[in-house]
Amino acid sequence: MNEHTGAGIVESVRGSVVDTFFPDNLPSIYHVLRTGDDDSIVIEVLTHLNEHLVRGVALTPTQGLARGSRVTNTGHTIDVPVGKNLLGRVINVFGEPIDYKGAIEGDRRSIHQKTIPLSEQLTASEIFTTGIKAIDVLAPLERGGKAGLFGGAGVGKTVLITEMINNTVKAYQGVSIFCGVGERCREGEELYRDMLDAGVLDNTVMVFGQMNEPPGARFRVGHAALTIAEYFRDDMRQDVLLMMDNIFRFIQAGSEVSGLMGQIPSRLGYQPTLSTELAELEERICNTANGAITSIQAVYVPADDFTDPSAVHTFGHLSASIVLSRKRASEGLYPAVDLLQSGSKMLIPHVVGEKHYRIAQEIRKTLNIYEDLKDIIAMLGINELSREDQRIVYRARRLERFFTQPFFTTEQFTGLKGKMVSLEDALRGCECILNDEFADQPEANFCMIGTIDELKSDEL
């Protein structure tokens, strides 16, 4: 028997926060306590109040729990199963299956793992291509890096994430792990069916802490998914694509837990430990000699305000930021990537190459000039511009439309066959537009095509 195990008694219950009295051995921080009928209520210890009293947060609903209820200390932290048996399965924060396909056998690992030491991390920069033109050209992702998908509600973060899972499973034959933090059950169910239809579910593990679950469960589901990702990287020596939707909900769950624990909030009502909690999660995502965990995280931006502390702290961890624009979405330009605000630390000549860097800079310059000229066009009309400025505007408008793309995961909505475009083809298309090779083509022809060759075939 572990020296930390033992029995206690519930002292008080306030929502998800439970104070427990232990007469003998005090449980360690993060240890799991069980109580209620059939030990169905799970509590994680977060602080020691005195030599006999601990305060924890329930990871399951606390209905029926009362003062004087008996509590058992399990003597271990939350753990999840790891191994190949998880592929194709859907689990919750405790590693329990929620897809009605039977129990999952295998070793179990604590979700509280140490960060890989800096000496064991790889520092070489390598590009991770997604097959999506706007991202690969203007905000290339880093293998083993962290990319953020920023946007308000309804601009297409989840659609872009499902498309990336589809493309990377096809291109890299790696393992995808989808972590739903505060997901709506409708979104989770739709995603499950989409992946089943796309044939990528067999290489994917899905971990959900749904919106209706207590904040404690939503707060820990990211750690559970990371533990599984680390197993595939370190033990199976595979590259892992980790999708997190949505990192803001992780921060929100931490804020709820902090409030319940009685901590005084900091600016805008967030928890005072926001940056520490986010770093504990983010710093576990890295490259080693065995493999890489590449993470793409959807980040909901409250009220489209990029100065919100949740967005500011998340920005600091990312090597690429893909910003989704409501204006672009309203114009029907999907994916609604803001071509000027999105960027990547990878977009430097010695990483992406001189040609890619030059084309990307030329695209930015063209789009910037167009942005500056928009007010003049709105007031006086395009004919009042100089011939050169007119050419730049036409170029920019063609580029904006060329960066739209039909997705595999939206075929049933758009009726257009999905397209995956290689980086070479995307760069060649941009170069052709910048050189005015298709100046005689109407702008509409550039919408929802894959490679620039599709325009040539239309001409014949």
Side-chain angles (χ1 to χ4, degrees):
M1 189 85 159
N2 189 310
E3 65 174 274
H4 291 296
T5 57
I9 293 162
V10 172
E11 187 86 1
S12 72
V13 184
R14 295 188 311 286
S16 291
V17 173
V18 182
D19 290 357
T20 312
F21 178 82
F22 282 89
D24 303 322
N25 297 323
L26 217 57
S28 301
I29 301 290
Y30 298 145
H31 273 190
V32 171
L33 312 178
R34 285 188 172 268
T35 181
D37 300 333
D38 311 324
D39 282 348
S40 57
I41 297 172
V42 180
I43 300 161
E44 186 180 46
V45 176
L46 288 187
T47 52
H48 292 161
L49 298 176
N50 59 38
E51 64 269 29
H52 291 297
L53 211 56
V54 297
R55 180 167 290 170
V57 166
L59 282 76
T60 52
T62 55
Q63 280 103 337
L65 193 60
R67 283 190 69 182
S69 297
R70 185 182 161 81
V71 179
T72 309
N73 176 18
T74 60
H76 61 76
T77 59
I78 302 166
D79 52 19
V80 288
V82 290
K84 281 190 166 177
N85 297 340
L86 278 169
L87 293 173
R89 301 300 301 270
V90 187
I91 61 171
N92 64 12
V93 67
F94 307 113
E96 298 163 350
I98 51 175
D99 54 5
Y100 304 107
K101 289 186 182 173
I104 299 169
E105 303 298 325
D107 296 339
R108 296 183 76 89
R109 249 181 219 186
S110 167
I111 66 167
H112 298 283
Q113 298 288 338
K114 285 190 170 67
T115 309
I116 297 275
L118 276 173
S119 56
E120 292 173 31
Q121 293 183 22
L122 285 189
T123 52
S125 295
E126 206 178 310
I127 295 298
F128 181 89
T129 52
T130 62
I132 298 166
K133 292 179 284 191
I135 294 171
D136 289 345
V137 173
L138 293 172
L141 307 187
E142 179 185 11
R143 178 179 171 266
K146 297 176 271 281
L149 268 178
F150 291 84
V155 289
K157 294 185 297 295
T158 305
V159 171
L160 201 51
I161 273 192
T162 51
E163 184 70 6
M164 285 188 196
I165 290 178
N166 177 68
N167 289 3
T168 43
V169 167
K170 284 179 181 171
Y172 288 89
Q173 313 299 310
V175 173
S176 283
I177 293 172
F178 180 87
C179 174
V181 186
E183 280 277 285
R184 299 171 184 89
C185 59
R186 167 184 61 78
E187 290 175 336
E189 201 260 354
E190 279 175 10
L191 183 65
Y192 180 79
R193 290 188 187 283
D194 287 345
M195 292 177 130
L196 201 58
D197 295 344
V200 298
L201 193 64
D202 292 343
N203 281 332
T204 309
V205 184
M206 300 176 85
V207 191
F208 282 107
Q210 282 169 219
M211 212 175 238
N212 61 330
E213 291 182 35
R218 284 181 272 128
F219 189 53
R220 289 293 178 227
V221 72
H223 297 86
L226 256 172
T227 303
I228 297 163
E230 285 166 345
Y231 169 83
F232 282 108
R233 179 193 65 194
D234 300 334
D235 294 43
M236 304 297 291
R237 294 173 174 267
Q238 281 183 294
D239 279 5
V240 182
L241 181 68
L242 174 66
M243 300 287 189
M244 295 183 85
D245 187 5
N246 185 310
I247 208 77
F248 172 75
R249 306 246 178 260
F250 165 77
I251 292 169
Q252 206 174 30
S255 175
E256 287 180 53
V257 169
S258 161
L260 290 166
M261 295 293 287
Q263 292 177 342
I264 297 166
S266 65
R267 188 168 150 249
L268 294 184
Y270 287 104
Q271 64 271 43
T273 50
L274 189 158
S275 57
T276 314
E277 288 166 0
L278 190 61
E280 280 173 359
L281 187 76
E282 297 280 9
E283 291 304 303
R284 285 171 64 181
I285 301 167
C286 62
N287 259 1
T288 68
N290 297 328
I293 299 175
T294 303
S295 171
I296 298 166
Q297 306 165 6
V299 186
Y300 167 70
V301 181
D304 291 344
D305 175 17
F306 283 87
T307 62
D308 189 89
S310 62
V312 171
H313 283 289
T314 308
F315 262 122
H317 292 279
L318 306 173
S319 53
S321 304
I322 301 155
V323 179
L324 298 181
S325 141
R326 195 172 299 283
K327 187 171 176 298
R328 232 174 114 79
S330 68
E331 290 169 6
L333 301 173
Y334 288 102
V337 176
D338 189 314
L339 304 172
L340 286 173
Q341 272 195 291
S342 303
S344 167
K345 292 173 184 168
M346 296 292 99
L347 200 54
I348 45 178
H350 69 267
V351 175
V352 296
E354 201 66 53
K355 181 188 173 188
H356 183 164
Y357 177 74
R358 180 178 49 76
I359 292 171
Q361 292 305 101
E362 194 62 37
I363 291 167
R364 280 192 195 287
K365 185 178 160 193
T366 306
L367 292 170
N368 263 319
I369 295 171
Y370 175 42
E371 199 63 37
D372 293 341
L373 293 172
K374 275 183 179 174
D375 287 344
I376 298 170
I377 296 168
M379 285 188 289
L380 304 174
I382 197 163
N383 295 328
E384 295 301 313
L385 299 177
S386 68
R387 295 296 294 275
E388 181 52 35
D389 280 351
Q390 283 184 29
R391 273 200 290 271
I392 288 171
V393 168
Y394 292 135
R395 245 175 255 156
R397 289 176 64 84
R398 283 176 170 77
L399 281 169
E400 281 187 338
R401 281 150 185 75
F402 180 64
F403 280 124
T404 61
Q405 190 169 338
F407 281 178
F408 293 97
T409 48
T410 56
E411 280 178 10
Q412 70 269 40
F413 307 119
T414 61
L416 298 169
K417 193 164 167 35
K419 300 211 167 86
M420 198 168 163
V421 182
S422 72
L423 180 59
E424 289 73 29
D425 285 339
L427 288 171
R428 187 163 51 82
C430 293
E431 205 168 21
C432 288
I433 295 168
L434 288 167
N435 294 337
D436 289 335
E437 285 183 31
F438 294 97
D440 54 336
Q441 286 269 2
E443 286 170 6
N445 287 10
F446 291 82
C447 271
M448 288 295 170
I449 61 169
T451 65
I452 203 80
D453 298 333
E454 290 175 40
L455 281 181
K456 293 177 182 172
S457 59
D458 287 348
E459 284 182 318
L460 297 172

